[in-house]
Amino acid sequence: MSQSILSDDLYQPDFPSLGLFSTWFGVVLIGLTAVLQAGQSSRGGYWAQPLVEGLKFVLVALILASLFYLPFRAERGVKWAALPLAINVGTLIIVQLVPFSDLWETLRFRWRISQYEAVAQMVESGELMPGESGVINLPEAYRYLSADNGRIWVETEGETTAIFFFTEKNAPRNFAGYLYRSDNAPPQQDDFRGRWRYVAQKQAHWYFCISE
């Protein structure tokens, strides 16, 4: 037949099976990496550490397999043949370079800042008063703001008020959290008995601090 149609003329390459597997594998690895980094402050993500490290080795194997896959599938379209390689390299870049812990910390602070500020205002107005040890047990509605069993620390010096909300506390000098200072000055060594190895200002009066 003069109008015979060759099957090759109708060929449309399917989504490569290696690319499909790489996509789902990438989603799982990125998700576990995010959980691991986000849970480091509370130790909640430590269970994911060996699993993530093992999956990274699998990812390297997938990248090598994608390189071998490329010349065998190039005749069906270079873009489709290169898709698994692009997916796996993209996954590697994300898990190695994206700072999930920083993103989670920023998101947590932005989500709760109005509650943090409400507590700071109650402390400064005298509605919440610290005990002799400088500790305040937060009201039930605000206890989730501090990982130290709902307790915050308060220090005063002259007209300056400083308040510390815990995001983690592993030992007397090994802790992290948000520090509020009414004078907007950065925390000094030994404020709240801290030995600060990391201090980052989140906004005016507020700092994220890690001790030891």
Side-chain angles (χ1 to χ4, degrees):
M1 296 178 59
S2 59
Q3 296 183 353
S4 61
I5 301 175
L6 298 177
S7 60
D8 289 343
D9 295 333
L10 295 177
Y11 177 78
Q12 294 292 333
D14 295 326
F15 192 88
S17 56
L18 181 58
L20 183 62
F21 177 81
S22 297
T23 299
W24 284 108
F25 180 85
V27 169
V28 171
L29 179 55
I30 292 170
L32 286 174
T33 301
V35 168
L36 174 64
Q37 293 190 22
Q40 282 177 343
S41 62
S42 62
R43 296 184 174 182
Y46 285 174
W47 61 270
Q49 181 72 51
L51 180 57
V52 167
E53 293 302 321
L55 291 179
K56 286 181 179 179
F57 283 106
V58 177
L59 178 60
V60 172
L62 283 174
I63 291 175
L64 294 175
S66 300
L67 288 170
F68 285 111
Y69 177 90
L70 187 57
F72 291 104
R73 295 293 182 176
E75 73 278 1
R76 298 188 178 184
V78 175
K79 291 182 178 180
W80 285 93
L83 186 59
L85 179 61
I87 293 171
N88 290 316
V89 171
T91 299
L92 179 63
I93 292 173
I94 291 172
V95 298
Q96 292 296 114
L97 299 182
V98 174
F100 291 105
S101 58
D102 292 343
L103 292 174
W104 166 248
E105 184 272 309
T106 298
L107 179 62
R108 174 176 55 191
F109 179 76
R110 295 301 174 192
W111 183 262
R112 295 179 173 179
I113 181 56
S114 60
Q115 288 80 28
Y116 287 131
E117 290 182 330
V119 171
Q121 185 176 6
M122 284 189 285
V123 173
E124 292 188 302
S125 68
E127 184 177 347
L128 292 177
M129 297 289 292
E132 293 184 0
S133 60
V135 174
I136 293 177
N137 290 299
L138 290 174
E140 188 65 31
Y142 293 99
R143 291 181 63 83
Y144 69 93
L145 294 178
S146 180
D148 185 26
N149 295 319
R151 299 182 299 178
I152 58 174
W153 289 353
V154 178
E155 291 182 353
T156 57
E157 184 177 349
E159 296 183 355
T160 299
T161 300
I163 308 169
F164 197 88
F165 298 80
F166 292 88
T167 57
E168 86 172 283
K169 186 181 180 185
N170 301 317
R173 289 185 178 268
N174 183 3
F175 57 88
Y178 298 109
L179 187 149
Y180 167 84
R181 284 189 64 99
S182 59
D183 61 356
N184 199 34
Q188 304 298 311
Q189 291 299 329
D190 275 338
D191 284 357
F192 297 105
R193 295 175 288 178
R195 295 174 180 171
W196 311 117
R197 62 179 174 86
Y198 179 82
V199 175
Q201 186 165 17
K202 306 304 295 181
Q203 64 181 46
H205 303 285
W206 290 94
Y207 296 84
F208 179 67
C209 309
I210 301 176
S211 175
E212 291 190 337

